[in-house]
Amino acid sequence: MDIQIVKSDMTYSKEDGYVGHVQFTCEGHQAPYEITFHSKNAKEWMYSLNFAKESGPEQEILSLEEILEEDDELFDRLVNEAQRKLESGQS
């Protein structure tokens, strides 16, 4: 799946662990997305996928969620993008 990163960030605190966000677009999808990551140990990630701005077609977000569950490479790319911002101190 061809995606374009729009914006990413990640923060860390002892209380919350790692919290990251990545906004991105997907080729062929009408609306941009934002995925939020959370992990206490930076190894096991929970996530929430939402439309970044206005809602788009439900079928498109459901399809993307299914892809994220199956495509470890895409999921890791999004996590790594957010982690890179934490490590470099960028937003």
Side-chain angles (χ1 to χ4, degrees):
M1 170 165 275
D2 187 26
I3 65 166
Q4 296 294 323
I5 306 295
V6 175
K7 180 175 146 181
S8 63
D9 65 69
M10 184 173 280
T11 59
Y12 172 77
S13 70
K14 285 186 179 183
E15 300 81 32
D16 297 327
Y18 296 88
V19 178
H21 307 91
V22 179
Q23 288 184 9
F24 62 99
T25 60
C26 291
E27 183 178 16
H29 287 229
Q30 294 179 22
Y33 298 98
E34 178 175 62
I35 190 166
T36 302
F37 298 104
H38 179 258
S39 177
K40 288 290 189 179
N41 60 14
K43 291 181 171 78
E44 298 172 8
W45 294 95
M46 294 183 299
Y47 75 93
S48 173
L49 180 66
N50 297 290
F51 291 107
K53 297 178 182 173
E54 67 280 343
S55 293
E58 182 180 4
Q59 186 56 39
E60 288 183 2
I61 196 168
L62 294 174
S63 170
L64 180 56
E65 282 186 332
E66 191 173 304
I67 291 167
L68 286 169
E69 289 292 326
E70 296 174 6
D71 188 343
D72 291 340
E73 189 175 308
L74 176 60
F75 187 84
D76 290 346
R77 178 179 171 199
L78 293 168
V79 170
N80 291 338
E81 175 65 26
Q83 285 180 312
R84 188 177 62 80
K85 294 296 178 105
L86 177 66
E87 292 165 3
S88 68
Q90 300 174 353
S91 292

